[in-house]
Amino acid sequence: MPSVDVLVEGIIKGDSSTLGRAITLVESNRKDHLEKANAIVQKCLSQKRDAIRIGITGVPGVGKSTFIEALGAQLNAQGNRVAVLAVDPTSTQSKGSILGDKTRMDELVKNPKAFIRPSPSGETLGGVARKTRETIILCEAAGYNIVLIETVGVGQSETAVHGMVDFFLLLKLSGAGDELQGIKRGIVEMADALVVNKADGDNIKKAAAAAGAFKRALHLYPPKENGWIPKVLTCSATENSGIDAIWEMIQGYIEQNKKSGYFLEKRKRQNRNWLYESIEERLKSEFFQNGNIAPEIEKFVTEVMAETISPFQAAAELIGMFKNKS
Amino acid sequence: MPSVDVLVEGIIKGDSSTLGRAITLVESNRKDHLEKANAIVQKCLSQKRDAIRIGITGVPGVGKSTFIEALGAQLNAQGNRVAVLAVDPTSTQSKGSILGDKTRMDELVKNPKAFIRPSPSGETLGGVARKTRETIILCEAAGYNIVLIETVGVGQSETAVHGMVDFFLLLKLSGAGDELQGIKRGIVEMADALVVNKADGDNIKKAAAAAGAFKRALHLYPPKENGWIPKVLTCSATENSGIDAIWEMIQGYIEQNKKSGYFLEKRKRQNRNWLYESIEERLKSEFFQNGNIAPEIEKFVTEVMAETISPFQAAAELIGMFKNKS
């Protein structure tokens, strides 16, 4: 493995294989890899990076990969360099890792202006989220000016992705009148736009009707703190229609928010939250992985299970040891 | 405030006003109160306590208070001493604190064999859950042999309550055929019994039909790890009908699980989980409340927001300081 400086140099040159190797370090759980990864992230942070980060979510089958393929191709054609990442903490369990099957984006994969990276596997959501955040920094330092982050529309991964992007897009299908049913309220509240996909052929009318229903339903939600009213659009990713209007809308949003200062303010807040998450994660990992503490935890677990000591008292004693012994 | 020993003595004697004062200590966030509370909990743990802990949930309006009033009266009449606690982290926001309006249980409140305590207010779910767990220990040491813990059927408080009880009961109303709709799958999975309340007057047939629908729906859920098949019953808390059958079912469950060893095994696992939660909570509170660390966190927040340091690096440096300085 090359040195930190060599890797950083390669990243900044935009060499995608070096970027891939650096991300592998970020994704590793080996302690020496971790140190190297931290040094790389730290150096990449100081690079000029002005990418736009877009989160894309939706239930399985909604056409996320096809949508990203279509949007990515258009962005590439306009001269942008696009990185596609994924957050999917369930990938090892379900074997249905998003972006794992790269052939689903076969055009984008072949495009030298695009970089595609599947979700790191075998990790908790917290772990995946941290690694994805650091990967974003690396991709941006490598000159990718648009980062698309895909996540599945189930569970809590949307909240994690929402916390690392500038724009959050929810893909939907036209349903049978139940429209906003089946999506958790929280996910709709996070969305800056709802896009009804598969608006093609016989489905065009149904998609338009669904979009209308979404628009009405969104009126029941409180306005965003930046005053933005979530937009509802339709598209067909397979027929490549409506994609340009979506990108225009996103650009409009970004411009408006950069002007108002909200863009930077949100980024800063995301960074601060990320610090607090990092602190909590590291506190726990240092405590539970401490060689002096682990056998003590075992002893206290036995005592707590037998109710000879209260869990609260046991925690106090263990943390006292942690601060003295480590 | 009397000494720890005096308070513990009063608790063991079953003096409810001393119990109330001790719970106030448990609920306090003052550091000196915390130490006293820990000492009391620790001493109460060593008392013989063989209470049964029952969690009761259901959406607002389902009749939880009336149900608890009816069940509590019956249990009291059979010679049991009943403590009623609540877990409701939303109580300060909504002002709709469960058990807060004690007049809703006016019979039980007057009964000297019952002890009623509303949810501690102004706290996170984690804080409320910890305080409720410690309050259970105190109530049991005071001789209450049945502890009923009420929670609202929304949000994550059910999971917290499920993690501290022996039996978890979900109250429902007969609906318009949508039956299990509107309850999160996870809550149904946690329930050891579903009870359709308000099965009285014109509603008896509808309640029976709802119970039938619930029974069929429950077949779609995986069996419990102890082999228990969740029971579905109907009752009318206002007419006091069906309450005896519910109590018989719960007793049957407890007997069966005590025989198989599952009862104790589950208690032990709950205690172990409580230890891990206590550790995480205390690690965070010691870190963030450390007088030497707080100003350093501020500095790093500024740097992280300006992207001159990675959150991960900042967390590493802060935790290094924590271990050296404190």
Side-chain angles (χ1 to χ4, degrees), chain A residues 96 131 199 231 296:
Chain A
K131 288 166 183 182
K231 299 288 181 289
E296 299 294 336

Side-chain angles (χ1 to χ4, degrees), chain A residues 34 38 41-42 45 49 53 130 134 181 268-269 271-272 274-276 278-280 282-284 286-288 297 300-301 304-305 307-316 318-319 322-323 326, chain B residues 34 38 41-42 45 49 53 130 134 181 268-269 271-272 274-276 278-280 282-284 286-288 297 300-301 304-305 307-316 318-319 322-323 326:
Chain A
L34 201 67
N38 284 343
V41 172
Q42 185 61 39
L45 262 184
R49 294 166 297 108
R53 304 164 186 171
R130 175 179 73 75
E134 299 194 342
Q181 284 245 9
K268 284 185 176 177
R269 198 170 53 209
N271 283 338
R272 191 188 56 210
W274 185 16
L275 171 62
Y276 282 100
S278 299
I279 287 172
E280 289 187 16
R282 192 169 180 118
L283 267 176
K284 280 196 271 179
E286 289 213 7
F287 179 85
F288 287 108
I297 297 177
F300 277 106
V301 164
V304 162
M305 285 170 88
E307 299 207 331
T308 55
I309 188 169
S310 84
F312 199 74
Q313 187 62 34
L318 279 167
I319 289 162
F322 172 62
K323 292 198 294 187
S326 56
Chain B
L34 202 66
N38 285 342
V41 172
Q42 184 62 38
L45 262 183
R49 293 166 297 109
R53 303 164 186 171
R130 175 178 74 75
E134 299 194 341
Q181 283 244 9
K268 284 184 176 178
R269 198 170 52 210
N271 283 337
R272 192 188 56 210
W274 184 16
L275 172 61
Y276 282 100
S278 299
I279 288 172
E280 289 188 16
R282 191 169 181 119
L283 267 176
K284 281 195 271 180
E286 288 213 8
F287 179 85
F288 288 107
I297 298 176
F300 277 106
V301 164
V304 161
M305 285 170 88
E307 299 207 330
T308 55
I309 189 169
S310 83
F312 200 74
Q313 187 62 34
L318 279 167
I319 289 163
F322 172 62
K323 292 200 293 187
S326 56

Side-chain angles (χ1 to χ4, degrees), chain B residues 247-316:
Chain B
W247 179 236
E248 261 173 47
M249 171 200 55
I250 295 175
Q251 279 183 305
Y253 176 92
I254 300 291
E255 265 170 45
Q256 180 181 323
N257 282 283
K258 280 193 170 168
K259 233 176 251 172
S260 72
Y262 181 80
F263 183 88
L264 198 61
E265 191 195 306
K266 185 174 168 186
R267 281 275 180 103
K268 284 184 176 178
R269 198 170 52 210
Q270 289 177 337
N271 283 337
R272 192 188 56 210
N273 292 344
W274 184 16
L275 172 61
Y276 282 100
E277 283 169 33
S278 299
I279 288 172
E280 289 188 16
E281 200 185 316
R282 191 169 181 119
L283 267 176
K284 281 195 271 180
S285 71
E286 288 213 8
F287 179 85
F288 288 107
Q289 287 165 23
N290 185 302
N292 294 320
I293 301 298
E296 300 293 334
I297 298 176
E298 286 308 307
K299 279 186 223 164
F300 277 106
V301 164
T302 310
E303 283 193 54
V304 161
M305 285 170 88
E307 299 207 330
T308 55
I309 189 169
S310 83
F312 200 74
Q313 187 62 34

Side-chain angles (χ1 to χ4, degrees), chain B residues 214-243:
Chain B
F214 285 143
K215 266 184 207 162
R216 286 188 297 276
L218 283 172
H219 278 289
L220 305 172
Y221 285 79
K224 302 255 165 192
E225 54 173 347
N226 59 346
W228 175 259
I229 296 159
K231 298 288 178 289
V232 182
L233 294 170
T234 63
C235 78
S236 167
T238 49
E239 297 196 348
N240 218 355
S241 65
I243 305 293

